[in-house]
């Protein structure tokens, strides 16, 4: 079964450390996303990539940087994490045209201590 | 930018009754309105969507209504079952590759 795969599932780290999250989709989609879901379940878009090109970059602190090697992969690096970065990070993908169903991964839960 | 308000934060219904979740949006350019379900400990799962060229769409027990004039859309779940219990998110998309989500409605179906 094809899907959106995220690793790791969980990560606990200390303030100031650097973390990287991986995401791969096997759906053949052209567009990938990172969303952040906070402890109140609020969902916010962070980045959108279309064919490896950044097309949406919301107001996200500069310590967050997406990295795309090809259109099936979109990783997320966070330099010097802060307590407010504790959240679930959801990777997703969709076909190239907008206004279409988005498929989500299971998420990476980050806890910053 | 677009803002989506989801009016019910929690909703409890008896099994077999209908549940209705309401959302409003602000950007008249929004043309696509999907709904997602998130069960406990799981990720988001698409359930149904509606585009702005129609005002009603049904998929089995799910009905979505869209009122463009009022900038309002709603999800109706008929004949609810315990497995419908989850958090439901509405979203709006203006076609620029980002959904704006509502805050979620926690639906509990009581057997």
């Amino acid at each position: 079964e094809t899907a959106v795969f995220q690793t790791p599932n969980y990560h606990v780290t200390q303030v100031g450390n650097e973390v990287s999250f991986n995401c791969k989709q096997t759906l053949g989609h052209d567009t990938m996303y990172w969303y952040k879901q906070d402890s109140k379940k609020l969902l916010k878009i962070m980045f959108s990539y279309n064919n490896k090109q950044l097309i949406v970059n919301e107001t996200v602190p500069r310590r967050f940087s997406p990295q795309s090697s090809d259109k099936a992969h979109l990783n997320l690096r966070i330099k010097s994490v802060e307590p407010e970065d504790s959240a679930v990070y959801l990777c997703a993908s969709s076909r190239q045209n907008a206004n279409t169903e988005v498929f989500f991964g299971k998420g990476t839960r980050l806890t910053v201590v | 930018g677009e803002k989506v308000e989801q009016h019910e934060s929690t909703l409890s219904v008896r099994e077999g009754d209908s549940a209705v979740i309401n959302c409003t949006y602000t950007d008249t350019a929004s043309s696509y309105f999907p709904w997602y379900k998130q069960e406990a400990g799981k990720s988001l799962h698409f359930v149904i969507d509606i585009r702005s060229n129609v005002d009603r769409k049904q998929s089995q027990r799910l009905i979505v209504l869209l009122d463009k004039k009022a900038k309002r859309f709603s999800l109706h779940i008929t004949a609810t079952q315990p497995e419908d219990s989850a958090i439901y998110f509405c979203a709006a998309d203006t076609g620029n590759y980002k959904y704006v989500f509502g805050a979620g409605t926690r639906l509990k179906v009581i057997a």
Side-chain angles (χ1 to χ4, degrees):
Chain A
E1 185 179 287
T2 55
V4 180
F5 301 96
Q6 290 186 240
T7 57
N9 294 327
Y10 304 92
H11 190 81
V12 181
T13 191
Q14 292 183 324
V15 170
N17 284 351
E18 177 176 313
V19 298
S20 283
F21 303 147
N22 299 315
C23 180
K24 169 189 170 183
Q25 55 94 3
T26 58
L27 294 160
H29 289 162
D30 295 302
T31 307
M32 295 187 71
Y33 313 81
W34 278 104
Y35 281 83
K36 179 181 179 181
Q37 186 171 38
D38 65 20
S39 58
K40 295 181 180 177
K41 300 294 186 183
L42 292 172
L43 280 155
K44 288 207 170 158
I45 182 76
M46 300 175 71
F47 303 101
S48 298
Y49 265 72
N50 189 38
N51 278 318
K52 301 195 313 178
Q53 299 295 317
L54 179 67
I55 51 173
V56 171
N57 182 351
E58 287 298 279
T59 308
V60 176
R62 295 177 87 173
R63 60 181 181 279
F64 288 85
S65 58
Q67 299 163 322
S68 179
S69 55
D70 57 56
K71 67 179 189 180
H73 294 83
L74 183 63
N75 300 332
L76 182 67
R77 186 176 74 166
I78 314 173
K79 284 165 88 170
S80 191
V81 295
E82 297 187 6
E84 60 264 32
D85 298 337
S86 294
V88 176
Y89 291 87
L90 293 165
C91 178
S93 72
S94 70
R95 290 194 305 270
Q96 184 168 357
N97 52 307
N99 294 345
T100 187
E101 181 183 344
V102 172
F103 294 78
F104 286 85
K106 293 183 178 180
T108 295
R109 181 179 294 276
L110 173 66
T111 302
V112 181
V113 297
Chain B
E2 173 70 285
K3 288 183 172 48
V4 175
E5 186 175 351
Q6 197 160 343
H7 296 268
E8 296 83 8
S9 58
T10 60
L11 184 60
S12 290
V13 299
R14 293 204 175 276
E15 183 179 357
D17 288 349
S18 292
V20 182
I21 302 171
N22 296 286
C23 291
T24 51
Y25 60 99
T26 58
D27 192 340
T28 52
S30 288
S31 58
Y32 178 68
F33 306 92
W35 288 85
Y36 283 80
K37 176 182 181 182
Q38 187 172 34
E39 295 169 88
K42 297 186 178 180
S43 190
L44 278 77
H45 176 71
F46 172 86
V47 290
I48 193 169
D49 59 14
I50 190 165
R51 288 182 169 77
S52 57
N53 58 340
V54 297
D55 55 20
R56 185 182 191 278
K57 183 174 179 178
Q58 181 165 1
S59 174
Q60 298 181 316
R61 294 187 296 109
L62 302 177
I63 301 169
V64 182
L65 302 178
L66 174 62
D67 181 344
K68 291 188 291 291
K69 201 177 266 189
K71 287 187 277 187
R72 180 173 59 221
F73 59 113
S74 57
L75 174 67
H76 299 244
I77 307 172
T78 61
T80 53
Q81 300 167 1
E83 53 265 37
D84 294 329
S85 295
I87 302 175
Y88 289 82
F89 293 93
C90 62
D93 186 357
T94 57
N96 58 354
Y97 295 99
K98 60 177 182 180
Y99 285 0
V100 176
F101 281 92
T105 297
R106 193 177 293 271
L107 173 65
K108 185 173 181 180
V109 178
I110 305 162

